Amino acid sequence: MKSVDGHHIDIKKFLPHREPLLMVSRLMEIDETSVHTEFDITKDCIFVKNERLSETGLIENAAQACSAIVGQSYFEDDDYEGEGNNLVGYISAIKKVEVYALPKQGEIITTKANLISRYDTGVITICSISCETFNNDELIVACTLNFLIHEV
């Protein structure tokens, strides 16, 4: 959990995803342009095949981590419980994805993302985010994703 001004932030309250599609376990750090998350790969994860997290699971993990950067701006500063969670986000384009290795169940992967560009229309936010995922400091995924995010 992330501590912001003495408050612990449970990422599950801020993402629209729920089990079994929730692919972020912990929010480690976040600011207006970057995020750092962790994900515990469990045997019951729907993206685990042959005891390894699939490419699809790695991309979904990256997308959920990335969406937290822009998604946080839709919440009030003092909303530490995610009560304003009325967001929908879509991957509008996968501009680049390179998968170097598939981590094993039981491992913890770390995902770090940085905002490249953002355009707010007042109704939706269009953004581009670069992301890297690591397993024990080894780069296993590098990607650039575009998103459309809006309130419902």
Side-chain angles (χ1 to χ4, degrees):
M1 286 191 241
K2 168 77 172 126
S3 178
V4 178
D5 298 327
H7 296 275
H8 292 289
I9 304 296
D10 182 355
I11 189 66
K12 295 174 192 142
K13 295 180 180 177
F14 292 87
L15 290 174
H17 306 82
R18 296 294 172 257
E19 299 293 345
L21 292 175
L22 184 63
M23 299 296 293
V24 175
S25 301
R26 285 172 297 286
L27 177 63
M28 306 306 290
E29 296 177 39
I30 191 165
D31 61 32
E32 291 180 4
T33 61
S34 65
V35 69
H36 172 187
T37 65
E38 290 182 344
F39 178 60
D40 303 324
I41 304 168
T42 61
K43 67 179 179 180
D44 59 340
C45 174
I46 64 169
F47 295 112
V48 169
K49 295 179 184 176
N50 299 321
E51 298 184 2
R52 294 202 175 263
L53 185 61
S54 69
E55 293 89 344
T56 306
L58 287 166
I59 293 168
E60 184 60 29
N61 165 262
Q64 289 182 27
C66 287
S67 68
I69 297 172
V70 172
Q72 71 179 322
S73 64
Y74 286 85
F75 292 87
E76 298 296 325
D77 289 341
D78 61 351
D79 183 0
Y80 299 108
E81 295 300 315
E83 293 172 3
N85 188 348
N86 294 315
L87 297 180
V88 175
Y90 310 94
I91 299 173
S92 60
I94 297 176
K95 294 178 75 172
K96 173 189 95 166
V97 65
E98 296 172 288
V99 176
Y100 304 107
L102 300 177
K104 297 176 188 173
Q105 74 182 36
E107 294 182 323
I108 298 171
I109 57 174
T110 300
T111 303
K112 298 178 180 182
N114 292 291
L115 184 66
I116 297 170
S117 65
R118 177 179 178 159
Y119 178 72
D120 293 304
T121 68
V123 177
I124 63 169
T125 298
I126 302 166
C127 60
S128 183
I129 300 174
S130 66
C131 185
E132 294 180 324
T133 302
F134 300 88
N135 184 9
N136 295 318
D137 297 324
E138 175 190 352
L139 178 65
I140 60 171
V141 177
C143 60
T144 303
L145 307 173
N146 289 356
F147 296 90
L148 296 172
I149 298 174
H150 67 91
E151 285 186 283
V152 290

